[in-house]
Amino acid sequence: MGGNMAERLTQGGHSVVGYNKDAVSPDRVKEIGLDMASSLDDLVKRLEAPRTVWIMVPAGKPTQETVDRLAELLSPGDLIIDGGNTRFTDDIARAEALKPKGIHYMDAGTSGGIWGLKVGYCLMVGGEPADFARVESIFKTLAPPNGYLYCGPSGSGHFVKMVHNGIEYGLMQAYAEGFEIMQASQHFPKLDLDKIANLWNQGSVVRSWLLELTALALEQDPGLEQLKPWVDDSGEGKWTVEESFATSVPAPVIALSLMMRFRSRQDNSFGARMLAAMRQQFGGHAVKTR
């Protein structure tokens, strides 16, 4: 994703110096149009002050280690932008920690995935207004028309992105359940699910980009036979549910969609076996044994 963003920036006329801890093929570097650095130290040396460094690495320890290292290398007036899926409370702490060094910090919640190179990235930005104004041309290049927003102070961009992903969990779960009901129908066992998904995107109230991707997935593999029923999460759903607890705002759909992701990772759920055992004990209901 970071490589695609760098390519979109170079296509938009920006000069980009890149660094990746893993080797990047020379052909890909040439395709993107990058000036490739050999280390973070080398990257900082290649940039002219005041520097802008965009971080696009996994949230948590990798991001923190990168910020800490850059804090040792950058100069007052330089700016760090974290475009990963960082928890907003970490942004607030990092911005405060960097202030004594004179290093500026912004958070940019980024949505668009592998399609962003072509259609642009939706960007939710937090930080100081002056910093936003200074680098707005970057956001404008990365985003589609009207596809970026200054949300407020440090952490607000990733906070909005966190809630965005929580909503995404609920939408995805609803689509998954609906299509499974149709797939399991005994009355209509030959429903063409990818055509139904395409149909619903033609003016239906449930049309969406997620539904477009659903249609594409079903077209490529109608029975989804190539996939295991394992659904991971990158944290935002959990954090959204935690925030609902903190604010006493009920969010049952998002919370339950998160629980369903947890259940998807259990190949042989002890909880499900426990339910079967209890039904057998109190009512003599039939069970299946291994």
Side-chain angles (χ1 to χ4, degrees):
M1 191 168 177
N4 282 349
M5 294 174 77
E7 184 173 357
R8 189 170 172 92
L9 286 170
T10 58
Q11 289 175 352
H14 296 270
S15 177
V16 181
V17 179
Y19 168 68
N20 192 57
K21 70 180 182 118
D22 298 319
V24 180
S25 73
D27 289 342
R28 179 60 176 145
V29 172
K30 184 177 180 180
E31 179 184 19
I32 296 173
L34 282 179
D35 176 11
M36 204 68 185
S38 60
S39 65
L40 284 179
D41 186 277
D42 185 34
L43 179 141
V44 170
K45 290 177 180 178
R46 288 171 185 253
L47 291 171
E48 294 183 10
R51 304 169 183 86
T52 299
V53 181
W54 186 298
I55 301 173
M56 207 70 191
V57 298
K61 186 177 179 181
T63 298
Q64 189 61 57
E65 289 178 346
T66 306
V67 171
D68 290 344
R69 180 59 181 148
L70 286 170
E72 298 171 354
L73 299 170
L74 295 175
S75 304
D78 291 344
L79 170 64
I80 295 173
I81 304 174
D82 176 17
N85 284 325
T86 290
R87 185 165 185 162
F88 71 95
T89 50
D90 292 340
D91 292 312
I92 296 170
R94 286 175 191 152
E96 287 300 313
L98 291 169
K99 275 184 180 179
K101 297 178 179 288
I103 298 172
H104 301 230
Y105 180 90
M106 299 190 74
D107 52 287
T110 305
S111 183
I114 59 175
W115 300 85
L117 174 59
K118 181 179 179 180
V119 302
Y121 301 89
C122 179
L123 300 170
M124 296 142 267
V125 184
E128 294 296 327
D131 290 330
F132 174 76
R134 168 181 151 189
V135 295
E136 186 175 2
S137 63
I138 297 175
F139 304 130
K140 189 172 184 178
T141 300
L142 287 172
N146 302 313
Y148 67 93
L149 178 70
Y150 174 69
C151 298
S154 293
S156 62
H158 276 145
F159 179 83
V160 173
K161 175 59 163 44
M162 176 191 78
V163 177
H164 162 283
N165 280 32
I167 293 170
E168 178 186 300
Y169 279 39
L171 289 171
M172 291 172 68
Q173 184 64 33
Y175 282 134
E177 292 173 7
F179 277 90
E180 184 170 11
I181 290 169
M182 289 189 288
Q183 187 271 339
S185 173
Q186 296 178 357
H187 296 289
F188 309 106
K190 295 184 179 181
L191 290 174
D192 194 326
L193 299 185
D194 80 282
K195 288 184 178 179
I196 292 170
N198 275 307
L199 170 68
W200 285 353
N201 266 318
Q202 314 310 313
S204 160
V205 295
V206 297
R207 65 187 182 275
S208 73
W209 185 53
L210 282 173
L211 194 56
E212 291 178 22
L213 299 179
T214 299
L216 181 61
L218 289 168
E219 180 183 351
Q220 294 171 344
D221 183 6
L224 304 181
E225 302 292 342
Q226 304 302 313
L227 298 175
K228 291 184 177 180
W230 172 286
V231 187
D232 210 342
D233 73 276
S234 53
E236 296 93 330
K238 296 176 187 175
W239 304 336
T240 304
V241 173
E242 289 173 3
E243 190 67 13
S244 79
F245 292 160
T247 56
S248 298
V249 173
V253 172
I254 295 173
L256 189 55
S257 67
L258 175 64
M259 299 303 121
M260 293 303 293
R261 291 197 178 196
F262 296 160
R263 175 52 70 93
S264 77
R265 303 167 203 171
Q266 298 179 320
D267 290 335
N268 186 17
S269 166
F270 179 82
R273 300 201 309 274
M274 191 73 256
L275 287 172
M278 285 187 285
R279 291 184 78 248
Q280 183 186 38
Q281 289 295 326
F282 71 69
H285 298 287
V287 294
K288 295 183 179 181
T289 59
R290 288 187 291 176

